[in-house]
Amino acid sequence: MTDPVRVLIADDHPVFRDGLASLLATQPDIAVVATAADGAEAVALAAEHRPDVVVMDLQMPVLNGIDATRRIAEELPDVRVLVFTMGEEDGTVLAAMRAGARGYLVKGASQDEVNRAISTVQAGGLVFGASLALRIADLLSGSAAPDRTAFPELTEREIEILDLIAAGKNNAQIAQSLFLAPKTVRNNVSNILSKLQATDRAEVIIRARDAGLGGG
């Protein structure tokens, strides 16, 4: 008999968090080792418990799920992250996958879908909910991870934002995709223009697209 998959649940809504924990606890092949109410707690508990899978919400306080996923992927590469959230906007899906998530489910998925997703991610596979399956191949093939070598003067966050600028996103859309405050996006865009010594946004888009950012 194989050991159960050890799962950590991170979600800031206690009703959903506790409900999912109770649901998964009924499964003989899953063991819930901890629950977290925000992204920072998720990172800390992942380091403490070393679960097989973290079921991660994206919109959380203190540290959002995208950044929490990125930190777990960097610091705990053996821990797999399965995003489980309300939104399925394309930019959000890509941001989660680029941060290191191994799967993406939309809340409302059936119990069987959740169980299969956890099992697949734990085994090293990639998984997406049924509503995303038709789009995800095109999304990933058309939008490779940003080339971080083309603009060495930029930080990882600035490259991420530059990639979305090159894709034609405005500041509000970038803020929504990356779960950032609009002011943070404005500051980063200003830094990008300054570091690249660009006169305007149009020049930045041309240079970024020439480097392969923006999905083409």
Side-chain angles (χ1 to χ4, degrees), residues 8-24 32 35-37 55-60 82-86 105-111 114 118:
L8 184 156
I9 299 169
D11 196 293
D12 63 325
H13 292 94
V15 172
F16 181 84
R17 183 177 67 245
D18 296 342
L20 181 59
S22 297
L23 183 67
L24 294 179
V32 178
T35 61
V55 178
M56 181 81 73
D57 187 26
L58 293 184
Q59 293 182 319
M60 291 189 292
L82 171 65
V83 168
F84 198 21
T85 193
M86 291 297 294
L105 278 184
V106 178
K107 288 179 178 177
S110 69
Q111 181 176 340
V114 176
I118 289 173

Side-chain angles (χ1 to χ4, degrees), residues 97-122:
M97 302 311 292
R98 287 170 178 165
R102 303 293 297 179
Y104 194 108
L105 278 184
V106 178
K107 288 179 178 177
S110 69
Q111 181 176 340
D112 285 343
E113 278 186 287
V114 176
N115 292 346
R116 285 196 302 270
I118 289 173
S119 176
T120 300
V121 168
Q122 187 271 337

